[in-house]
Amino acid sequence: MSTDNPSASVDGEIDADELLALRERVDELEASVAEMDDDSGKKMTIIATQGTFDMAYPPLILASTAAAFDWDVVVFHTFWGLDILHEENSKNLKLSAVGNPNMPMPNAVAALPGMDAMATKMMRKRIDDNDTATVEELIDLSIQQGVDLQACQMTIELMGYDEDEFYDGVTTGVGAATAIQHMAESDVQLLV
Amino acid sequence: MSSEYDTTETLDVKGQSCPMPVVKTKQSIDDLEAGEILEVVATDSGSMSDIQGWATGTDGVELLDQVEGDGIYTHYVKSTE
């Protein structure tokens, strides 16, 4: 079987036009590689779907830390995750005593009235004693550092919230397509 | 405690835990000029690994030294740009 390339020039010479076209192509490629190298800053997108007291922390801690690395960070809050950005609700996030095998009580007891409140109070005290930042502090810190905290518009309407009930600096009017676009451009994508 | 470094500023994050030592170090170093050195004093043992990881992954900073003693973790970070 012949491996001859039928388009190769017969005499093995490249004409001037062809050479010019090749040089232009190389310049274009070099420019696009340089552009990629220049874009050294990383990007992270976190999708925050949970609104319990304990689950408010991981997205905010990771977001504020990544911002300290000069990363471009987006946190897209949807469903119960929206409560983290809701100024009033964020101060009353609850911990669930049920369904967590690490709780020092059986589920049958944890399901009794008042147990969630008790578990939340214990956790808040530990966080306070340990000088761990509050959810509000982490939100302020994240916004200060340029993290884009986004509130899903569909969920805002589903929950009957008003846009001005969220912390100053929170982005509203965004949906799944915006989140997808950020995820596609990101080096790190997390669902919390 | 004197140090061998000519520090421009000291950041006290004693008592604070993750992510504060890293985040506040970043905020403080952003206010310094190239060549200036920030001293970070922490009690969070995780800050030894965290400040090192942050300095490695972040442009414009250089970790000069980390000193551990009596439950105090001291970090020397230089701004390079």
Side-chain angles (χ1 to χ4, degrees), chain A residues 104-180:
Chain A
M105 61 182 101
N107 274 343
V109 175
L112 293 173
M115 283 302 175
D116 283 352
M118 198 186 84
T120 306
K121 206 175 162 190
M122 279 165 57
M123 185 77 181
R124 275 193 201 281
K125 190 175 181 311
R126 293 193 79 131
I127 281 180
D128 199 39
D129 290 348
N130 198 42
D131 279 322
T132 300
T134 64
V135 167
E136 202 178 353
E137 281 167 352
L138 288 171
I139 287 174
D140 282 349
L141 203 61
S142 297
I143 289 175
Q144 262 178 43
Q145 294 194 101
V147 172
D148 189 5
L149 297 176
Q150 302 185 339
C152 167
Q153 192 63 31
M154 183 275 281
T155 326
I156 292 177
E157 284 158 28
L158 187 72
M159 302 288 189
Y161 292 149
D162 205 87
E163 283 176 28
D164 56 23
E165 291 168 14
F166 295 95
Y167 285 97
D168 288 343
V170 167
T171 303
T172 55
V174 289
T178 311
I180 293 280

Side-chain angles (χ1 to χ4, degrees), chain A residues 46-53 55-57 59-60 75-87 89-90 93 135 139 149-152 155-156 159 161 166-167 170 192:
Chain A
I46 300 174
I47 311 295
T49 64
Q50 305 291 308
T52 53
F53 185 52
M55 292 307 275
Y57 278 88
L60 293 174
V75 189
F76 184 81
H77 294 250
T78 186
F79 280 81
W80 310 115
L82 211 53
D83 283 340
I84 300 169
L85 301 183
H86 192 278
E87 212 164 342
N89 294 4
S90 72
L93 299 177
V135 167
I139 287 174
L149 297 176
Q150 302 185 339
C152 167
T155 326
I156 292 177
M159 302 288 189
Y161 292 149
F166 295 95
Y167 285 97
V170 167
V192 179

Side-chain angles (χ1 to χ4, degrees), chain B residues 29-48:
Chain B
I29 203 96
D30 277 351
D31 291 336
L32 296 191
E33 304 285 330
E36 293 184 331
I37 297 168
L38 176 71
E39 179 185 47
V40 183
V41 186
T43 48
D44 172 22
S45 61
S47 69
M48 292 300 273

Side-chain angles (χ1 to χ4, degrees), chain A residues 178-189:
Chain A
T178 311
I180 293 280
Q181 185 212 333
H182 287 299
M183 281 190 271
E185 291 169 358
S186 290
D187 301 277
V188 178
Q189 305 94 348

